Amino acid sequence: MLSNPRILIAEDESGIADTLQYVLRTDGFVPVWCATAAQAIVQFTAEPPALAILDVGLPDMNGFELFKRLQALPGGAQVPMLFLTARSDEIDRVVGLELGADDYIAKPFSPRELVARVRTILRRSGRGAQGAPAAAPPTPVPAPAAPVTPFALDLERMQIRYYGRLLELSRYEYGVLRLLVQRPGRVYTRDDLLRLVWDEASDSFDRTVDAHVKTLRAKLKAIAPEVDPIRTLRGTGYALNEDLPASA
Ligand code: CA
């Protein structure tokens, strides 16, 4: 029998934890609440959840550190993780994403949005809400070979090289391309990109994203006319093409 997906919640504020547990339970998930990072590590070790929601400000360890610890546990690398942060500033975003976390939610958050986000991440990771059998650990998947990529990312300088050539990018072009390059093959919807790259999604629109991808493509094409590194998924969004020639 398939059990409902377990969602680990590491959150020290009981009010927030109560809300999270309520909305997740209503939606058919099994929330497991931990008020400290130490408890979360114990729970995670006992049985890796389908997904973990980590508050960045925990009393005994920050959420980023906890993320690294959980990832290092058996099965930890396969568990999608979502940060919950009260500081929606750039640092939290960048740190969260550079760690490889799947997403983040800024407090205060809408419970419905959170559940929608959880569902999206589970679907993307193939652990749909119909339930990955929580008791049976997934068959170990050999780590995929790092794809050959013509992109070289320099996060400190906020620069990207393409086939050895430095790209002259606007701030938003850089933001979009950085996300795509960091997770080849992952599909980012226009909403994802607006939320993750633009400061204020409210005064931007889907076509803003499209316009930036268009100029980005023109810059890439100028360097390698035969190569099309950005895939468009009609009506959905964009992803970095995983099969790119090593030289152009
Ligand atoms: Ca907190």
Side-chain angles (χ1 to χ4, degrees):
M1 172 188 141
L2 296 179
S3 37
N4 292 335
R6 286 169 71 250
I7 310 289
L8 184 90
I9 303 167
E11 167 62 68
D12 57 315
E13 285 171 65
S14 59
I16 293 175
D18 284 348
T19 307
L20 281 173
Q21 291 185 88
Y22 176 77
V23 294
L24 288 169
R25 212 174 278 132
T26 305
D27 246 59
F29 296 100
V30 179
V32 179
W33 175 37
C34 303
T36 63
Q39 278 178 29
I41 291 170
V42 170
Q43 284 289 344
F44 198 101
T45 307
E47 189 181 339
L51 179 145
I53 299 173
L54 313 178
D55 177 29
V56 173
L58 289 167
D60 52 341
M61 189 186 291
N62 78 47
F64 301 129
E65 183 60 34
L66 176 60
F67 172 85
K68 287 187 201 159
R69 300 271 190 103
L70 296 180
Q71 275 222 316
L73 291 172
Q78 281 85 47
V79 176
M81 302 196 210
L82 177 68
F83 284 122
L84 213 50
T85 171
R87 299 171 51 210
S88 58
D89 60 46
E90 202 65 34
I91 295 168
D92 279 357
R93 291 184 186 195
V94 171
V95 173
L97 294 163
E98 281 171 15
L99 280 168
D102 286 79
D103 211 335
Y104 74 93
I105 296 243
K107 294 177 185 174
F109 56 87
S110 123
R112 282 178 52 166
E113 190 200 346
L114 180 123
V115 171
R117 211 74 76 71
V118 165
R119 285 200 175 281
T120 306
I121 296 170
L122 289 175
R123 205 180 309 123
R124 204 188 276 147
S125 66
R127 298 177 172 218
Q130 295 318 310
T139 338
V141 178
V148 176
T149 166
F151 291 96
L153 197 53
D154 184 338
L155 294 168
E156 283 182 11
R157 291 188 177 79
M158 294 179 72
Q159 290 178 343
I160 302 176
R161 283 177 183 277
Y162 182 53
Y163 290 113
R165 301 258 304 272
L166 184 63
L167 291 164
E168 296 261 359
L169 302 174
S170 73
R171 178 175 160 209
Y172 294 127
E173 288 165 356
Y174 169 81
V176 169
L177 188 58
R178 175 174 71 84
L179 282 178
L180 298 180
V181 166
Q182 283 182 316
R183 303 282 291 271
R186 175 179 159 173
V187 177
Y188 287 90
T189 65
R190 291 176 177 81
D191 278 349
D192 287 337
L193 293 171
L194 278 177
R195 198 160 35 76
L196 296 168
V197 177
W198 273 260
D199 299 322
E200 261 314 318
S202 55
D203 51 344
S204 302
F205 304 94
D206 287 3
R207 62 176 179 274
T208 310
V209 174
D210 294 341
H212 282 80
V213 170
K214 192 174 173 192
T215 55
L216 195 48
R217 278 193 166 128
K219 291 178 182 181
L220 297 170
K221 206 172 179 68
I223 292 177
E226 307 298 321
V227 183
D228 190 10
I230 300 176
R231 284 197 296 138
T232 302
L233 291 103
R234 226 164 240 298
T236 310
Y238 300 99
L240 193 79
N241 197 332
E242 286 169 284
D243 302 306
L244 292 173
S247 59

